[in-house]
Amino acid sequence: MKGLRNMLDRWQPLFLPGGRFERFHALFEMVDTLFYSPPDLTRGAPHVRDAVDLKRVMILVVFAAAPCVLVGLWNTGYQANTAMAAMGMESIDGWRGTALGLLFAGNDPASLYDNVVLGLTWFLPIYMVTMAAGGFWEILFAGVRNHEINEGFFVTSLLYALILPASLPLWQVAIGISFGVVIGKEVFGGTGKNFLN
């Protein structure tokens, strides 16, 4: 990891004000603090001295939400497989059916694997659109305001994707997360600076 630290230190001047890539400073800072603690630490009283920063807390929240994701995947697949069995459907058409075939999954409501894989084919597109659309706005506002990218978006995107109906059109997913990030957070100054927090 020392080689990675040296490489990031060599590249840092390129992303500072006056550097060739200064407009991408937020992205550089995101990668740097993903691997290493940020250099700006609170040293005076009355603050608690701890190695945990906001990024690490948000990662813990993502891990804490993982069981909810797994249950959501299973439940979506179970509900769909149960409905298909009641209607006498043998298989699913389209790309979901192809994905199930490639992953050796069937449509048995009693199979944990079949349910989770089918649920994943519904959840993953929603989550990918959420990350792409919401991530776009996070990066755009971080670049315009010249501040770091907020890691709380990983939690927001996961929870947002979990509360949506599985059959929601993807364009509505993109509009919803865009509204949430832009109006609900960024217009009012970002994390901790808005009345909608």
Side-chain angles (χ1 to χ4, degrees):
M1 286 301 248
K2 186 139 177 90
L4 178 61
R5 176 75 266 161
N6 291 337
M7 181 180 67
L8 290 171
D9 288 342
R10 274 195 323 269
W11 289 355
Q12 185 176 16
L14 296 172
F15 295 92
L16 293 176
R20 177 192 276 172
F21 303 114
E22 76 176 285
R23 77 180 86 146
F24 300 111
H25 175 73
L27 290 174
F28 175 80
E29 188 276 335
M30 178 187 72
V31 172
D32 187 35
T33 59
L34 178 69
F35 295 108
Y36 299 100
S37 293
D40 49 343
L41 300 174
T42 304
R43 303 204 186 279
H47 302 285
V48 175
R49 295 177 187 211
D50 195 352
V52 178
D53 61 353
L54 184 61
K55 186 171 289 200
R56 304 309 183 262
V57 170
M58 290 301 148
I59 289 171
L60 289 174
V61 174
V62 169
F63 285 137
C68 296
V69 173
L70 294 174
V71 170
L73 295 178
W74 170 81
N75 188 46
T76 301
Y78 175 74
Q79 298 298 330
N81 282 332
T82 302
M84 288 189 313
M87 292 187 295
M89 292 176 62
E90 296 291 325
S91 64
I92 299 175
D93 295 332
W95 72 268
R96 284 188 177 88
T98 304
L100 292 175
L102 291 173
L103 297 172
F104 305 107
N107 294 34
D108 180 13
S111 169
L112 176 68
Y113 179 75
D114 290 356
N115 292 333
V116 169
V117 171
L118 181 58
L120 189 62
T121 65
W122 286 97
F123 177 77
L124 199 56
I126 290 174
Y127 187 62
M128 288 170 51
V129 168
T130 299
M131 289 296 290
F136 167 78
W137 291 112
E138 283 282 338
I139 291 170
L140 180 70
F141 275 90
V144 168
R145 292 189 176 148
N146 198 23
H147 65 74
E148 64 228 23
I149 295 173
N150 190 327
E151 29 312 294
F153 175 68
F154 292 114
V155 174
T156 303
S157 65
L158 186 62
L159 296 177
Y160 177 74
L162 281 172
I163 65 169
L164 295 177
S167 60
L168 188 69
L170 296 179
W171 67 270
Q172 290 180 359
V173 173
I175 288 175
I177 195 66
S178 295
F179 181 84
V181 171
V182 174
I183 302 300
K185 183 177 131 187
E186 295 296 346
V187 165
F188 297 103
T191 302
K193 298 177 184 169
N194 57 53
F195 71 95
L196 298 173
N197 243 359

